[in-house]
Amino acid sequence: MSACAPTTPRERFRADFSASIAVFLIALPLSLGIALATGAPLQAGLVAAAVGGIVAGRLGGAPLQVTGPAAGLTVITADLIQQYGWRVTCAITVLAGLTQLVLSALRVARTALVVSPAIVHGMLAGIGITIAIAQLHVVLGGSPQSSVPANLAELPAQLARLDPAAVGIGALTIAILLTWPRLRGGTGERIRRAMPAALAAVLLATAVTVLAGLRLPRVDLPSWNNHALPGLPEGPVLGLIAAVLTVTLVASVESLLSAVAVDKLATARRRRGGAPVPRADLDRELRGQGAANVVSGALGGLPVTGVAVRSTANVAAGAVSRKSTILHGCWVLLAAGLLVNLLELIPLAALAALVMVVGLQMAGIHHLRNVTRHRETLVYAATTIGVILLGVLEGVGIGIACAVVLALHRLTHTRISVDPVGDGSHRVRADGPLTFLAVPRLSRVLARVPEGTVVTVELTGSFLDHAAYETLHDWRTAHTDRGGRVEIVDGGGAPAAEPAAERAFRRPRLPWHNYRHAGLPALP
């Protein structure tokens, strides 16, 4: 991105036009690959990409976010197709879009951000691993099974009858995807800007397949006259409701988190001299996502969501307004009508390899590092394993349960100790929140303090409830009456009774000050 931001309408349009081409070149192969991974008609991926770009781009609240078929919904959509069929899945997509419209009208978009990042990353990691294992069978020349355990059980037999041509094309695609971003020098940088890694991998794999005369399954785009449209939902009512809510939940959370991430990227670009972009309106963005899902499902397309990969590319390519997203959808629409013969040359092994790499990237190690730093590895692992073995909704439920248990554990896990200081005084230290659950432990430790001594009580937690306050207050009164002296300080060593307003910039929250407002004496 140039340090000089586009200012005139012509410069801004040129920036959006250039970015839309870059995003289109990424979206085209990925949309076909995701459709292949779900088992939907391949045209459904193109429909979803075009609708996501045009409808969500026009109506959404995140100007630079790119919407389309996403890997995060692949497993859910594949399960729905197997259980209900493609036409009912389209109807479920429409109903999920209508549900998103209702939620946007209720202005609850920011509620989705309450979900722990560890659960979101664990869900995406589980989905990514599921996708990668399933698409490995296609790369080997076979067909995926319905679940991860079934795919793993079938893997030895698939290895025994692998197709060398499919494996070769898949390996070539993966090699290009991994090496393309590492092209160095001025020439390498120009090549990478002109052609994204996904498009380069698919184009080169297709060229090798055609020139070598390899007989491999290829993209099959049926005539638009035979394109399947949604049918009336059929099946158990509770099952259909659960399906609609699952698509709504995953699509909404992924879109809103992606919109927040795009905001951060745009802000960082602005600091480097880039063009200013309005902050995302999350309720409007949810409304745009809902409208796009209604239209996509009605036209026989996959469910859509905000896609982090394409959105990041859009920002990096210099987009300055929603015109970039809308134009990319128009290019997809034109390609679906004019490039059918070229698209049908693409080998399925290349698309499967592309989606397999995307799936593995969703389970990237950097997410695990982040959750480990915040001590939420258990939540991440439980969500990931639950998604892999049981399904997305079940895995997210397990992750939420683990997050609640972990929060309760942290709330009740307080270390309380008493140590002699050396001059006859003692120090009582409480690490963690002091609630009524910690009162028995607190009382036992305070009882070990010798009478008549000078005591410093150091509170390093962020919360002190009424029961703990009363325990400290009563003990302090009794200890002082027996000739002792008590000073209660916070973790920084400052007296806990110091007015909060004077220390607001050093400590964001001192809850024990609230007791003075309730008519209780302050802790000295």
Side-chain angles (χ1 to χ4, degrees), residues 65-158:
Q65 171 148 278
V66 181
T67 298
L73 287 168
T74 300
V75 175
I76 299 171
T77 307
D79 288 342
L80 293 179
I81 293 173
Q82 288 184 354
Q83 186 172 358
Y84 298 107
W86 171 240
R87 297 186 64 190
V88 174
T89 300
C90 291
I92 291 173
T93 301
V94 173
L95 294 174
L98 293 173
T99 306
Q100 289 178 305
L101 291 175
V102 172
L103 293 177
S104 69
L106 296 176
R107 306 187 68 80
V108 297
R110 289 196 175 273
T111 306
L113 303 181
V114 173
V115 180
S116 167
I119 296 175
V120 176
H121 293 318
M123 177 191 73
L124 294 177
I127 291 172
I129 293 171
T130 302
I131 292 171
I133 294 175
Q135 294 309 298
L136 177 59
H137 283 269
V138 181
V139 173
L140 295 175
S143 300
Q145 305 300 311
S146 60
S147 65
V148 172
N151 278 317
L152 292 176
E154 181 66 19
L155 192 56
Q158 184 62 62

Side-chain angles (χ1 to χ4, degrees), residues 32-401:
L32 290 171
I34 291 171
L36 172 67
T38 62
L42 296 185
Q43 284 173 321
L46 300 177
V47 171
V51 170
I54 297 172
V55 177
R58 179 64 185 86
L59 302 178
L64 301 188
Q65 171 148 278
V66 181
T67 298
L73 287 168
T74 300
V75 175
I76 299 171
T77 307
D79 288 342
L80 293 179
I81 293 173
Q82 288 184 354
Q83 186 172 358
Y84 298 107
W86 171 240
R87 297 186 64 190
V88 174
T89 300
C90 291
I92 291 173
T93 301
V94 173
L95 294 174
L98 293 173
T99 306
Q100 289 178 305
L101 291 175
V102 172
L103 293 177
S104 69
L106 296 176
R107 306 187 68 80
V108 297
R110 289 196 175 273
T111 306
L113 303 181
V114 173
V115 180
S116 167
I119 296 175
V120 176
H121 293 318
M123 177 191 73
L124 294 177
I127 291 172
I129 293 171
T130 302
I131 292 171
I133 294 175
Q135 294 309 298
L136 177 59
H137 283 269
V138 181
V139 173
L140 295 175
S143 300
Q145 305 300 311
S146 60
S147 65
V148 172
N151 278 317
L152 292 176
E154 181 66 19
L155 192 56
Q158 184 62 62
L159 289 171
R161 60 175 188 272
L162 60 83
D163 184 342
V167 172
I169 292 299
L172 174 64
T173 305
I174 293 172
I176 296 171
L177 287 170
L178 297 180
T179 58
W180 201 259
R182 293 176 172 80
L183 295 176
R184 299 303 180 204
T187 303
E189 183 177 354
R190 285 192 294 271
I191 292 174
R192 285 188 285 109
R193 286 184 177 180
M195 185 176 298
L199 182 65
V202 172
L203 280 180
L204 291 176
T206 301
V208 171
T209 302
V210 173
L211 295 176
L214 300 178
R215 304 178 67 85
L216 291 173
R218 301 185 185 183
V219 167
D220 181 17
L221 295 175
S223 168
W224 287 104
N225 294 330
N226 300 323
H227 183 61
L229 297 176
L232 292 176
E234 298 177 357
V237 175
L238 291 180
L240 291 171
I241 293 175
V244 171
L245 293 179
T246 301
V247 174
T248 302
L249 172 66
V250 176
S252 301
V253 170
E254 188 171 351
S255 295
L256 296 175
L257 291 176
S258 177
V260 172
V262 172
D263 255 1
K264 294 178 181 178
L265 292 174
T267 300
R269 190 184 68 176
R270 177 71 181 106
R271 295 196 190 102
R272 298 193 300 267
V277 178
R279 291 186 61 82
D281 180 339
L282 296 185
D283 288 304
R284 179 180 173 182
E285 178 61 21
L286 187 58
R287 182 164 64 251
Q289 296 292 328
N293 271 312
V294 170
V295 177
S296 181
L299 296 179
L302 292 170
V304 299
T305 181
V307 188
V309 174
R310 291 170 225 176
S311 302
T312 302
N314 195 35
V315 176
V320 295
S321 75
R322 63 181 71 249
K323 292 178 183 176
S324 170
T325 301
I326 297 172
L327 285 173
H328 121 273
C330 294
W331 307 145
V332 173
L333 190 61
L334 288 175
L338 302 179
L339 301 181
V340 173
N341 292 335
L342 292 177
L343 295 177
E344 290 184 336
L345 296 176
I346 301 174
L348 296 184
L351 293 179
L354 169 63
V355 177
M356 186 171 72
V357 172
V358 172
L360 292 176
Q361 289 173 343
M362 291 172 64
I365 192 68
H366 59 284
H367 293 316
L368 183 57
R369 289 174 183 160
N370 287 336
V371 298
T372 301
R373 189 181 305 121
H374 294 90
R375 297 183 300 164
E376 293 187 320
T377 308
L378 178 62
V379 176
Y380 177 89
T383 306
T384 301
I385 295 172
V387 170
I388 292 172
L389 297 181
L390 302 176
V392 175
L393 191 60
E394 294 84 353
V396 170
I398 292 173
I400 292 174

